[in-house]
Amino acid sequence: MLIKHRRASDIHENHLTPESVYLNRRALLKGAGLAIGGAALTACDPAGAVDLLSDPNADLYPAARNEVYQIDRPLTAEALSTTYNNFYEFGSHKRIAKAAQKLTIRPWEIAIDGEVEAPFKVGFDDLMRKVRLEERYYRHRCVEAWSMDVPWTGFPLRQLVELAKPLSSAKYLRMETFQRPSEASGQKQIWYPWPYVEGLTIKEATHDLAFMVTGIYGKPLPKQNGAPLRLAVPWKYGFKSIKSIVRFTFTEKEPVSFWQKVEGREYGFWANVNPGVDHRRWSQATEQVLGTQERVPTRLFNGYAEEIGGLYDDVKGTRNIFF
Ligand code: MTE
């Protein structure tokens, strides 16, 4: 059962996809004699429950909760946030949980390179023993105008930046998702610029709120939510929170993200949440809270304005940080 309640005025479920890509895809599928299925979004697929016994990091869960990060709404049901996902590598609809189980997450090697003292690779399980896990409750606001409230487990991204030892020339952090079309059928869709890439300034990456996620609801992360390692930057639209990361590159130049390449007029580098700045095709003033009938006002920086403080003081005059 699809638990998300929608009104006729709500935006279409895969609205993230720009019209140009949608049309291009349609044309290609038509040429191949295929139809775009009228997505049967009725089954709540329980796929992807994590088998704690076989997880090499089971002993690290549940991690102690960091009470600094509270939310003023009930948490979204686990059965919903683990079955209603955006993960284009497995399809441009929300029911990708089952398809995502094809992803091999062991071994999982992460490359750290670019403007660092010495590039290196680290296995995910080794990395887990170098950081300290904690649980944080975060709001998550998708650019498609829906939101959820999630208990993530992970560690501050700052800890990873410190391990990487960036040079003073490093101004940005570029992050990259795996590229394995044999496991991720969405990556066979050639109209998308794979792999998925996202970026932050070093100032953003070392901010307290920037969080590397390894778990959810007190357990290791299911594949559909971006196992084994994803980002959570809750003051930005959800597409910045890149999943299943394999590479962190420190750069002098601003990275160009996946969605910027797809449609630069709709998805910018900063993507900070602002109810007063509409998407090119819909309003960002309100959001539908997943699992409820509620449509609530969206808040500046998704409610994290106080924590963000002066983070953008140096760029405010020169860049539109809400795009
Ligand atoms: N990361 C990758 N690699 N691929 C994606 O398609 N989608 C983004 C983000 N990270 C995406 C991604 C978007 S649009 C959102 S809203 C969140 O993941 C969704 O995270 P969730 O499925 O855990 O809710």
Side-chain angles (χ1 to χ4, degrees), residues 83-114:
T83 56
Y84 185 88
N85 303 102
N86 266 336
F87 204 165
Y88 274 62
E89 283 81 346
F90 297 99
S92 51
H93 54 88
K94 302 292 187 276
R95 300 294 173 201
I96 53 79
K98 204 167 173 190
Q101 303 318 305
K102 265 191 128 179
L103 179 64
T104 307
I105 56 168
R106 292 293 188 292
W108 192 269
E109 200 168 66
I110 298 157
I112 310 233
D113 56 20

CSV table of all heavy atoms in Angstrom, one decimal, residues 83-114:
chain,number,residue,atom,x,y,z
A,83,THR,N,11.2,2.1,2.0
A,83,THR,CA,10.5,1.6,0.8
A,83,THR,C,10.0,2.7,-0.1
A,83,THR,O,9.5,2.4,-1.2
A,83,THR,CB,9.2,0.8,1.2
A,83,THR,OG1,8.4,1.6,2.0
A,83,THR,CG2,9.6,-0.5,2.0
A,84,TYR,N,10.2,3.9,0.2
A,84,TYR,CA,9.9,5.1,-0.6
A,84,TYR,C,11.2,5.8,-0.8
A,84,TYR,O,11.5,6.7,0.0
A,84,TYR,CB,8.8,5.9,0.1
A,84,TYR,CG,8.3,7.0,-0.8
A,84,TYR,CD1,7.2,6.8,-1.6
A,84,TYR,CD2,8.8,8.3,-0.7
A,84,TYR,CE1,6.7,7.9,-2.4
A,84,TYR,CE2,8.3,9.4,-1.5
A,84,TYR,CZ,7.2,9.1,-2.3
A,84,TYR,OH,6.7,10.1,-3.1
A,85,ASN,N,11.9,5.5,-1.9
A,85,ASN,CA,13.3,6.0,-2.0
A,85,ASN,C,13.5,6.6,-3.4
A,85,ASN,O,13.0,6.2,-4.4
A,85,ASN,CB,14.3,4.9,-1.8
A,85,ASN,CG,14.1,4.2,-0.5
A,85,ASN,OD1,13.5,3.1,-0.4
A,85,ASN,ND2,14.6,4.8,0.5
A,86,ASN,N,14.4,7.6,-3.4
A,86,ASN,CA,15.0,8.1,-4.6
A,86,ASN,C,16.4,7.5,-4.8
A,86,ASN,O,17.3,7.8,-3.9
A,86,ASN,CB,15.1,9.6,-4.6
A,86,ASN,CG,13.9,10.3,-5.2
A,86,ASN,OD1,13.2,9.8,-6.0
A,86,ASN,ND2,13.6,11.6,-4.8
A,87,PHE,N,16.6,6.7,-5.8
A,87,PHE,CA,17.9,6.1,-6.0
A,87,PHE,C,17.9,5.8,-7.5
A,87,PHE,O,17.6,4.7,-7.9
A,87,PHE,CB,18.1,4.9,-5.1
A,87,PHE,CG,19.5,4.5,-4.8
A,87,PHE,CD1,19.8,3.6,-3.8
A,87,PHE,CD2,20.6,5.0,-5.6
A,87,PHE,CE1,21.2,3.3,-3.5
A,87,PHE,CE2,21.9,4.7,-5.3
A,87,PHE,CZ,22.2,3.8,-4.2
A,88,TYR,N,18.2,6.8,-8.3
A,88,TYR,CA,18.1,6.7,-9.8
A,88,TYR,C,18.9,5.6,-10.4
A,88,TYR,O,18.6,5.1,-11.5
A,88,TYR,CB,18.3,8.0,-10.4
A,88,TYR,CG,17.1,8.9,-10.5
A,88,TYR,CD1,16.5,9.4,-9.3
A,88,TYR,CD2,16.5,9.3,-11.7
A,88,TYR,CE1,15.4,10.2,-9.3
A,88,TYR,CE2,15.4,10.1,-11.7
A,88,TYR,CZ,14.8,10.5,-10.6
A,88,TYR,OH,13.7,11.3,-10.6
A,89,GLU,N,19.9,5.1,-9.7
A,89,GLU,CA,20.7,4.0,-10.2
A,89,GLU,C,19.9,2.8,-10.3
A,89,GLU,O,20.2,1.9,-11.1
A,89,GLU,CB,21.9,3.7,-9.2
A,89,GLU,CG,23.1,4.7,-9.3
A,89,GLU,CD,22.8,6.0,-8.5
A,89,GLU,OE1,21.7,6.3,-8.1
A,89,GLU,OE2,23.8,6.7,-8.3
A,90,PHE,N,18.8,2.7,-9.6
A,90,PHE,CA,17.9,1.5,-9.7
A,90,PHE,C,16.5,1.8,-10.3
A,90,PHE,O,15.6,1.0,-10.2
A,90,PHE,CB,17.8,0.9,-8.2
A,90,PHE,CG,19.1,0.5,-7.7
A,90,PHE,CD1,19.8,1.3,-6.8
A,90,PHE,CD2,19.6,-0.7,-8.1
A,90,PHE,CE1,21.1,0.8,-6.4
A,90,PHE,CE2,20.9,-1.2,-7.7
A,90,PHE,CZ,21.6,-0.4,-6.8
A,91,GLY,N,16.4,3.0,-10.8
A,91,GLY,CA,15.1,3.4,-11.4
A,91,GLY,C,14.6,4.8,-11.0
A,91,GLY,O,15.0,5.2,-9.9
A,92,SER,N,13.9,5.4,-11.9
A,92,SER,CA,13.4,6.8,-11.6
A,92,SER,C,12.0,6.8,-11.0
A,92,SER,O,11.3,7.7,-11.3
A,92,SER,CB,13.5,7.6,-12.9
A,92,SER,OG,12.8,6.9,-13.9
A,93,HIS,N,11.8,5.8,-10.1
A,93,HIS,CA,10.5,5.8,-9.4
A,93,HIS,C,10.9,5.5,-7.9
A,93,HIS,O,12.1,5.3,-7.6
A,93,HIS,CB,9.5,4.8,-10.0
A,93,HIS,CG,10.1,3.5,-10.1
A,93,HIS,ND1,10.1,2.5,-9.0
A,93,HIS,CD2,10.8,2.8,-11.1
A,93,HIS,CE1,10.7,1.4,-9.4
A,93,HIS,NE2,11.2,1.6,-10.6
A,94,LYS,N,9.9,5.4,-7.1
A,94,LYS,CA,10.2,5.3,-5.6
A,94,LYS,C,10.4,3.9,-5.1
A,94,LYS,O,10.9,3.6,-4.1
A,94,LYS,CB,9.2,6.0,-4.8
A,94,LYS,CG,9.0,7.5,-5.1
A,94,LYS,CD,10.2,8.3,-4.7
A,94,LYS,CE,10.0,9.8,-4.9
A,94,LYS,NZ,10.3,10.3,-6.2
A,95,ARG,N,9.9,2.9,-5.9
A,95,ARG,CA,9.9,1.5,-5.4
A,95,ARG,C,11.1,0.7,-5.9
A,95,ARG,O,11.0,-0.2,-6.6
A,95,ARG,CB,8.6,0.8,-5.8
A,95,ARG,CG,7.3,1.5,-5.3
A,95,ARG,CD,7.3,1.4,-3.8
A,95,ARG,NE,6.1,2.1,-3.2
A,95,ARG,CZ,6.1,2.5,-2.0
A,95,ARG,NH1,7.0,2.3,-1.1
A,95,ARG,NH2,5.0,3.2,-1.6
A,96,ILE,N,12.3,1.2,-5.5
A,96,ILE,CA,13.5,0.6,-6.0
A,96,ILE,C,14.1,-0.4,-4.9
A,96,ILE,O,15.2,-1.0,-5.2
A,96,ILE,CB,14.5,1.7,-6.4
A,96,ILE,CG1,14.8,2.7,-5.3
A,96,ILE,CG2,14.1,2.4,-7.6
A,96,ILE,CD1,15.7,2.3,-4.2
A,97,ALA,N,13.5,-0.5,-3.8
A,97,ALA,CA,14.1,-1.3,-2.7
A,97,ALA,C,14.5,-2.7,-3.1
A,97,ALA,O,15.6,-3.1,-2.8
A,97,ALA,CB,13.2,-1.3,-1.5
A,98,LYS,N,13.6,-3.3,-3.8
A,98,LYS,CA,14.0,-4.7,-4.2
A,98,LYS,C,15.1,-4.7,-5.2
A,98,LYS,O,16.1,-5.5,-5.1
A,98,LYS,CB,12.7,-5.3,-4.8
A,98,LYS,CG,12.7,-6.8,-4.8
A,98,LYS,CD,11.3,-7.3,-5.1
A,98,LYS,CE,11.3,-8.8,-5.2
A,98,LYS,NZ,10.1,-9.3,-5.8
A,99,ALA,N,15.1,-3.9,-6.2
A,99,ALA,CA,16.1,-3.8,-7.2
A,99,ALA,C,17.5,-3.5,-6.6
A,99,ALA,O,18.5,-4.0,-7.0
A,99,ALA,CB,15.8,-2.8,-8.3
A,100,ALA,N,17.4,-2.7,-5.6
A,100,ALA,CA,18.7,-2.2,-4.9
A,100,ALA,C,19.4,-3.4,-4.2
A,100,ALA,O,20.6,-3.3,-3.9
A,100,ALA,CB,18.4,-1.1,-3.9
A,101,GLN,N,18.7,-4.5,-4.0
A,101,GLN,CA,19.4,-5.6,-3.3
A,101,GLN,C,20.4,-6.2,-4.1
A,101,GLN,O,21.3,-7.0,-3.7
A,101,GLN,CB,18.3,-6.6,-2.8
A,101,GLN,CG,17.2,-6.1,-1.9
A,101,GLN,CD,17.7,-5.1,-0.9
A,101,GLN,OE1,18.6,-5.5,-0.1
A,101,GLN,NE2,17.2,-3.9,-0.8
A,102,LYS,N,20.5,-5.9,-5.4
A,102,LYS,CA,21.5,-6.4,-6.3
A,102,LYS,C,22.9,-5.8,-6.1
A,102,LYS,O,23.9,-6.3,-6.5
A,102,LYS,CB,21.1,-6.1,-7.8
A,102,LYS,CG,20.4,-7.3,-8.4
A,102,LYS,CD,20.2,-7.0,-9.9
A,102,LYS,CE,20.7,-8.2,-10.8
A,102,LYS,NZ,20.6,-7.9,-12.2
A,103,LEU,N,22.9,-4.7,-5.4
A,103,LEU,CA,24.1,-4.0,-5.2
A,103,LEU,C,25.0,-4.8,-4.2
A,103,LEU,O,24.6,-5.2,-3.1
A,103,LEU,CB,23.9,-2.6,-4.6
A,103,LEU,CG,25.1,-1.8,-4.3
A,103,LEU,CD1,25.8,-1.4,-5.5
A,103,LEU,CD2,24.7,-0.5,-3.6
A,104,THR,N,26.3,-5.1,-4.6
A,104,THR,CA,27.2,-5.8,-3.8
A,104,THR,C,27.9,-4.7,-2.9
A,104,THR,O,28.5,-3.8,-3.4
A,104,THR,CB,28.3,-6.4,-4.6
A,104,THR,OG1,27.7,-7.2,-5.6
A,104,THR,CG2,29.3,-7.3,-3.8
A,105,ILE,N,27.8,-4.9,-1.6
A,105,ILE,CA,28.4,-3.9,-0.7
A,105,ILE,C,29.6,-4.4,0.1
A,105,ILE,O,30.1,-3.6,1.0
A,105,ILE,CB,27.3,-3.2,0.2
A,105,ILE,CG1,26.6,-4.2,1.1
A,105,ILE,CG2,26.3,-2.4,-0.6
A,105,ILE,CD1,25.7,-3.6,2.2
A,106,ARG,N,30.0,-5.6,-0.1
A,106,ARG,CA,31.3,-6.1,0.5
A,106,ARG,C,32.0,-6.9,-0.6
A,106,ARG,O,31.4,-7.7,-1.2
A,106,ARG,CB,31.0,-7.0,1.7
A,106,ARG,CG,30.5,-6.3,2.9
A,106,ARG,CD,31.4,-5.4,3.5
A,106,ARG,NE,30.9,-4.9,4.8
A,106,ARG,CZ,29.9,-4.1,5.0
A,106,ARG,NH1,29.2,-3.6,4.0
A,106,ARG,NH2,29.5,-3.7,6.2
A,107,PRO,N,33.3,-6.6,-0.8
A,107,PRO,CA,34.1,-5.5,-0.1
A,107,PRO,C,33.6,-4.2,-0.7
A,107,PRO,O,33.0,-4.1,-1.8
A,107,PRO,CB,35.5,-5.8,-0.5
A,107,PRO,CG,35.4,-6.5,-1.8
A,107,PRO,CD,34.1,-7.3,-1.8
A,108,TRP,N,33.9,-3.1,0.1
A,108,TRP,CA,33.5,-1.8,-0.3
A,108,TRP,C,34.7,-0.9,-0.1
A,108,TRP,O,35.0,-0.5,1.1
A,108,TRP,CB,32.3,-1.2,0.4
A,108,TRP,CG,31.7,0.0,-0.2
A,108,TRP,CD1,32.1,1.3,0.2
A,108,TRP,CD2,30.7,0.1,-1.2
A,108,TRP,NE1,31.4,2.2,-0.6
A,108,TRP,CE2,30.5,1.5,-1.4
A,108,TRP,CE3,30.0,-0.8,-1.9
A,108,TRP,CZ2,29.6,1.9,-2.4
A,108,TRP,CZ3,29.1,-0.4,-2.8
A,108,TRP,CH2,28.9,1.0,-3.0
A,109,GLU,N,35.4,-0.5,-1.2
A,109,GLU,CA,36.6,0.3,-1.0
A,109,GLU,C,36.3,1.8,-1.3
A,109,GLU,O,35.6,2.1,-2.3
A,109,GLU,CB,37.7,-0.2,-2.0
A,109,GLU,CG,39.0,0.2,-1.6
A,109,GLU,CD,40.1,-0.5,-2.3
A,109,GLU,OE1,40.2,-0.3,-3.6
A,109,GLU,OE2,40.9,-1.3,-1.7
A,110,ILE,N,36.8,2.7,-0.5
A,110,ILE,CA,36.6,4.1,-0.7
A,110,ILE,C,37.9,4.8,-1.0
A,110,ILE,O,38.9,4.6,-0.3
A,110,ILE,CB,36.0,4.7,0.6
A,110,ILE,CG1,34.6,4.0,0.9
A,110,ILE,CG2,35.8,6.2,0.6
A,110,ILE,CD1,34.2,4.1,2.4
A,111,ALA,N,37.9,5.5,-2.1
A,111,ALA,CA,39.2,6.3,-2.5
A,111,ALA,C,39.1,7.7,-1.9
A,111,ALA,O,38.1,8.3,-2.0
A,111,ALA,CB,39.3,6.3,-4.0
A,112,ILE,N,40.2,8.1,-1.4
A,112,ILE,CA,40.4,9.5,-1.0
A,112,ILE,C,41.5,10.1,-1.7
A,112,ILE,O,42.6,9.6,-1.6
A,112,ILE,CB,40.6,9.6,0.6
A,112,ILE,CG1,39.6,8.7,1.3
A,112,ILE,CG2,40.7,11.0,1.1
A,112,ILE,CD1,38.8,9.2,2.4
A,113,ASP,N,41.2,11.1,-2.5
A,113,ASP,CA,42.3,11.6,-3.4
A,113,ASP,C,42.1,13.1,-3.7
A,113,ASP,O,41.3,13.8,-3.1
A,113,ASP,CB,42.4,10.8,-4.7
A,113,ASP,CG,41.1,10.8,-5.5
A,113,ASP,OD1,40.2,11.6,-5.2
A,113,ASP,OD2,40.9,9.8,-6.3
A,114,GLY,N,42.9,13.6,-4.7
A,114,GLY,CA,42.9,15.0,-5.0
A,114,GLY,C,43.8,15.8,-4.2
A,114,GLY,O,45.0,15.3,-3.9
